[in-house]
Amino acid sequence: MTVPALKAKDYKSGIKAVWCPGCGHFAVLSALTKAMAHLGLVKEQVAVVSGIGCSSRLPAYIDTYGFHGIHGRALAAASGLKAARPDLTVIVAGGDGDGFSIGGNHFLHACRRNMNMAYIVMDNEVYGMTKGQASPTTLPDWSNSKMTPHGTGIPSFNPAAIALAAGAGFIARGYSGEPSELTRLLVEAIEHPGFAFLQVLSGCVTYRPDQKQWKEEVHSADSDLPTDDPVKAAQMIQAGDGKATGIIYAKRFPVWQPENRTDAEINEIEKEFLL
Amino acid sequence: MSDRPSEAISKSYSVAITGSGGSGAVTTGRILLEAAAQCGFQGLMTRSAGPQIRGGESAAMVRFSPDPVECMGDEYDLLVGLDWRNVERFADELPLSDKSLILSDPAAGEVPAVLRSNGAEILEVQFKKFASGLPGGRLNMVALGAATRICGFTLEAMEAGIRAVLGGKGEEVVETAIQAVRLGFNHDHRPRITLNAPGKSDDHWSITGNQACGVGALRGGTRFVAAYPITPASEMLEWMAPKLEKLGGSLLQAEDELASINMIIGASFGGVPSLTATSGPGLSLMVEGLGLALVSETPVTVVNVMRGGPSTGIPTKSEQSDLNIALYGLHGDAPHLVFAPLSIRDCVFTTQWAVQLAEHLQTVAIVLSDQSLGQSQAIIEAPPARELPLARKVESEPGGDYQRYAITSDNVSPMTLPGTAAGMYTADGLEHNPHGTPSSMAVDHRSQLTKRLQKLEDFDFGDDWAEVQGEGRRCIVTWGSTAGVVNEVATWLQAQGSAIRIISLRLLAPLQRDRLMDLLSDSDKVLVVEQNHDGQLFHYLHSQGVLPANAESLAQPGPLPLRPGRIIRALSGGN
């Protein structure tokens, strides 16, 4: 008996999202369910893991196993889960504050640990859930937050450059306004054997209405990308405007995964303590 | 009444070995303990060192007896000075009496006045001169030979001890050490010990508290550990890493403690019993994660090997000062399990019990070990395996309307694991309804708070919540490692015909209030003994209303261990 193929809507939980009307995250959710359907993922074999923030609400809206943890720690929880359960497809989702500020250290080490998981950062350059403060990707002169009335005055964080320097083997950028391209990138990220980092420009209609402008600014990456040359990737990332979509860098590194073998019993191990 | 219980009880002999960096004091102590074990004694070796990573002065303290040894005594019977450089830094850790013997090399200069002041006898042996006559000979081995004779050990036992400790360094090192030991052994002096060696036991273990917690974790089913190195817990992790690999599990060295705790929560969500080990600063970082585990009802165990605090504190020395953070560190109403092993041997059972209870009750367990247990080497009777009927309730065939946080009769909800069809849910740190859907409704918050409290309050923890010894209207209440010295006091008082009851708490939360009050109901004098400055257990017990108004506190901070005489004086109303 063949099991009927699941459609994208079959991966939706039916729980109503808390997001504002017009939020870019709806498109990310939709693209993710399409990617899952495209890959034919068995729902109960998938775990979607997140931290805290608007985008981190995503697991509840997907009908798989989900883990909505604490602020900044999604990658840590996902890494433990994957280490213990290599059979699962692990997808991590979150925002720019969660991933690059409070969770920045885990981002670095997840890139270099290279466990097999996809990490989707819905980047809107703002803290939405706490009502509009600057995030690490906010430009230094954005002064619309009461908390930083003169702007942050410090350069914004370049996620792709950091990921490359930290050793990630898959770096891509998508845009919520280009859903079919985003679906393709999600499929590639989930299929990549190792840690796959996908930054999604996903605008905040409430606190960053200026991001409507992204529609005009976003463009496809150069046709000679992706590259597997880290020097070229670094040049492209540093010279770019941060609005180019596509896979920037793809290279296979050894995947870290503990071997779960059993070749002893506890009582044998305990014999080492005998005199 | 004498205030020297350890001398009076005491079928025990205590040796301290001191020396400056590179003199080998700790190695000497290790070998002496192994030799005692070869003679059938049980024993304990603690160590004291400065903060240097390598080198610097150090001291090894060894105590052995035909009976279990769970603390150091009031004084040392023998002090071996390999040299006297910087010994002043240890002087307050090396109490001597007029019955003590100091073994000293005249070439190292005069025994410092601070050590001679109690009238100890001095025996001179030329360690350095003997060692220099032997190619590769080391003076600490000559000193060890002299100590071997004084302790009444046979040369055969000492040779076996040398092989146990130095065997990994090759036959030449072992042979040279044996020759040097013989030189010291054959020097003209006599045994000073009256203990009869019981004869080597096939059932004794040589183990540290950190290793014993590791054994307990494995016995309890732990198969995933994520952790960040920290003194004095690292050895537990180093011991576990290769063992987990052999048992189908793994250890992941995390980037920090925030990662450690969240990694084990993730692994446990996946169905694998998971643990981390740390010390105070690490526990402080983990606290937010503990709340997540508690609210998402994902079982995890944290072994916290306490050291002097707060902040960086005294990393290499012991203190029982993390009770407050273990009990109260979490924000919100956050009931969970807190345990403390009562000895190195008990580290095995208590850790196993903690891991299995965390699994069974789907909650957080914190195990408060400490440096004095963790980094001390003990010779103990092998702890027997105990089968505990405690395991995670897993729902493998959920029905149509699976509710992850269903309110059940025992308030523990069967849990599905990823991979189980029809049981999908999102674990969440947000308050939720029985389905696991986030909810800020009062009814859901109240019912889930009650569920998480009652699953602990209603559980029958049985008789293992405390060790109770003796009868009488005087009572000492203590917890964790301090139980060792308190038991020694009780044994001594009881041998003198003086009645006393000892209650050593292994389960600190949830406090077994009724059981404790029942035991205290006929006490007219209660003393709460612990190794911290502020009396954390004393205040906790008062807050729970279990102590009589006239209960007294003996709270002594680290790094000095509580000694029997100190407790005797407190019982008599002195300081």
Side-chain angles (χ1 to χ4, degrees), chain A residues 44 65 68 85 113 261 270 273, chain B residues 219 248 255 418-420 427:
Chain A
E44 62 268 21
Y65 279 88
H68 181 208
R85 290 290 306 273
R113 193 173 283 120
R261 62 193 161 83
E270 291 179 356
F273 298 116
Chain B
R219 284 186 178 184
E255 55 269 27
T420 307

Side-chain angles (χ1 to χ4, degrees), chain A residues 262-273, chain B residues 205 214-223 239 243 246-247 348 352 385:
Chain A
T262 304
D263 51 18
E265 301 282 332
I266 292 178
N267 53 10
E268 292 168 42
I269 286 172
E270 291 179 356
K271 283 180 184 160
E272 75 170 69
F273 298 116
Chain B
W205 279 11
V215 170
L218 295 180
R219 284 186 178 184
T222 301
R223 291 297 178 269
W239 184 82
K243 295 353 180 248
K246 290 182 178 175
L247 293 169
V348 176
Q352 177 188 352

Side-chain angles (χ1 to χ4, degrees), chain A residues 10 13 15 42-52 56-85 87-88 102-110 112-113 115 129 256-267 269-275, chain B residues 34 37-38 41 200-208 211-212 215 218-221 223-224 239 243-256 258-260 262-272 274 288-289 292 296 298 348 379 382-383 416-430 437-438:
Chain A
D10 297 321
S13 72
I15 293 175
V42 178
K43 291 201 282 186
E44 62 268 21
Q45 284 292 330
V46 177
V48 182
V49 181
S50 70
I52 292 294
S56 292
R57 287 295 192 116
L58 186 126
Y61 311 143
I62 296 205
D63 192 28
T64 63
Y65 279 88
F67 186 95
H68 181 208
I70 50 178
H71 199 23
R73 316 294 162 222
L75 285 170
S79 300
L81 176 60
K82 185 68 184 178
R85 290 290 306 273
D87 57 308
L88 301 176
I102 191 168
N105 195 31
H106 309 306
F107 179 50
L108 299 181
H109 293 277
R112 63 182 272 261
R113 193 173 283 120
M115 299 184 77
M129 190 158 267
W256 189 85
Q257 180 67 42
E259 281 181 53
N260 294 104
R261 62 193 161 83
T262 304
D263 51 18
E265 301 282 332
I266 292 178
N267 53 10
I269 286 172
E270 291 179 356
K271 283 180 184 160
E272 75 170 69
F273 298 116
L274 289 168
L275 298 177
Chain B
E34 290 292 330
Q38 294 293 329
F41 291 112
K200 186 180 173 184
S201 168
D202 294 334
D203 191 36
H204 281 181
W205 279 11
S206 176
I207 192 168
T208 68
Q211 291 168 334
V215 170
L218 295 180
R219 284 186 178 184
R223 291 297 178 269
F224 181 75
W239 184 82
K243 295 353 180 248
L244 282 162
E245 280 181 17
K246 290 182 178 175
L247 293 169
S250 56
L251 182 143
L252 196 169
Q253 183 177 327
E255 55 269 27
D256 55 34
L258 306 167
S260 308
N262 285 280
M263 283 174 171
I264 66 168
I265 296 168
S268 179
F269 170 73
V272 177
S274 298
E288 189 194 14
L292 170 63
S296 65
T298 311
V348 176
I379 310 297
T416 54
L417 305 179
T420 307
M424 292 176 288
Y425 75 102
T426 293
D428 209 317
L430 282 168
T437 307

Side-chain angles (χ1 to χ4, degrees), chain A residues 18-23 26 205-206:
Chain A
V18 295
W19 300 324
C20 308
C23 177
F26 285 107
V205 291
T206 302

